[in-house]
Amino acid sequence: MSKNNNNAIKIPKPILITAKTLEVMSNKLAAKFAMKLFRTPMKFKLPKREQKMDKESKQEFLEIPGVNEKIRVYHLGNSNKKVLLVHGWSGRGTQLCSIAYKFVKKGYSTVSFDAPAHGKSTGKTSDMTEFIASIQELDKKYGPFEYAIGHSLGAMSVLNAIKRGLKVKKAIIIGSGDVIKDIMNDFIIKLGMNVATEKEMIKLFEKKFNTTINSYSAYIAAKEVNIPVLIIHDEDDNDVPVSAAHHLYKHLNNAELVITEGLGHRKILGDKEVIKKILQFTEDEEDNNDNANSV
């Protein structure tokens, strides 16, 4: 499972200059700026590899109650056996296209979406609570789903959604983040800001969401997830350290851990060996069902 690594997304220089300038003036002012950046996804041109799914999928808008935004939903395949796909931060509903087509070929259909403020969905800012709300609404309208597959923040959202009632047979989490405070700390470091600004940012976070900074951390949700979970993470992931995968593995009740090399944070989604492992993990469920029916 080895290929050339990809680089992490870099923050534009003008943003870095603004961040440092505001910090000189006031840590509170800098924290407000950082918080807005933290909740504003970057948008990218649709890659060629995703255009096929964008053209062939059935698409519609779905309003998410409480969020007051409409998400773009992508349906691929016609089977009643459905798989939910959840992209990561600054991703799109077509980002897991390679995985989607393999499941369709295996007789499933997939449901994916652009989270609020991502892709074709409405909104300018977003966060994990809105990812979770989107998953919950999709489950109400199109569920039940056989499996849920999430990447990065999408993986964290899947675990939190399961904790909050999403019913799936198995889950696959790829390049998942873990501790919210660690993610925020990494973001502050990349902005070149100091600890005082980070503390102010944490205060803003906890005030906005009326909860502690780590309440949505993946490892906390993992403790309440009892279904089988496949954890896939690359050793050379520059966006999310592989230590997150090992930490989640310790807190999940029924997990399998696969560590790859040289795929980074995004190329891992299209790797043939990775997808083969995902299919094998879900096919084990089918084999067990067939054996149970034959007894």
Side-chain angles (χ1 to χ4, degrees), residues 27-41:
N27 287 119
K28 288 185 178 180
L29 199 61
K32 287 181 180 180
F33 176 72
M35 189 65 174
K36 185 175 181 180
L37 284 178
F38 192 68
R39 299 187 64 245
T40 304

Side-chain angles (χ1 to χ4, degrees), residues 41-52:
M42 297 175 70
K43 290 195 176 185
F44 303 94
K45 183 180 179 181
L46 189 70
K48 188 176 181 180
R49 62 181 176 276
E50 297 178 31
Q51 291 175 6
K52 184 173 185 285

Side-chain angles (χ1 to χ4, degrees), residues 168-286:
V168 289
K169 294 175 181 176
K170 292 184 176 181
I172 297 95
I173 57 174
I174 308 168
S176 178
D178 184 17
V179 182
I180 301 293
K181 189 177 185 301
D182 289 348
I183 295 170
M184 192 172 287
N185 177 254
D186 180 66
F187 183 72
I188 286 292
I189 290 172
K190 287 178 179 176
L191 281 174
M193 290 178 158
N194 60 36
V195 176
T197 298
E198 182 184 0
K199 287 181 179 178
E200 291 296 333
M201 191 176 170
I202 289 172
K203 288 179 184 178
L204 289 173
F205 181 97
E206 294 183 340
K207 183 178 180 181
K208 175 175 176 56
F209 298 107
N210 195 30
T211 186
T212 59
I213 184 70
N214 278 332
S215 60
Y216 283 90
S217 292
Y219 80 95
I220 292 178
K223 295 175 183 179
E224 297 183 41
V225 175
N226 296 310
I227 61 168
V229 177
L230 175 62
I231 307 168
I232 305 176
H233 210 113
D234 194 76
E235 189 77 38
D236 305 307
D237 190 325
N238 289 331
D239 288 72
V240 183
V242 70
S243 57
H246 291 287
H247 192 236
L248 285 172
Y249 181 69
K250 290 179 181 178
H251 288 87
L252 283 162
N253 297 304
N254 186 359
E256 181 178 348
L257 177 62
V258 174
I259 303 299
T260 61
E261 293 180 8
L263 297 174
H265 191 62
R266 278 163 283 277
K267 285 185 179 179
I268 196 170
L269 297 174
D271 184 76
K272 291 181 180 179
E273 291 300 314
V274 168
I275 297 173
K276 183 179 178 181
K277 180 60 185 176
I278 292 171
L279 293 172
Q280 182 185 34
F281 180 72
T282 56
E283 284 168 358
D284 287 343
E285 174 72 29
E286 294 176 359

Side-chain angles (χ1 to χ4, degrees), residues 51-59 75-77 101:
Q51 291 175 6
K52 184 173 185 285
M53 183 174 174
D54 186 52
K55 291 178 181 178
E56 296 181 353
S57 58
K58 176 187 174 185
Q59 300 181 27
H75 302 269
L76 196 66
Y101 275 106

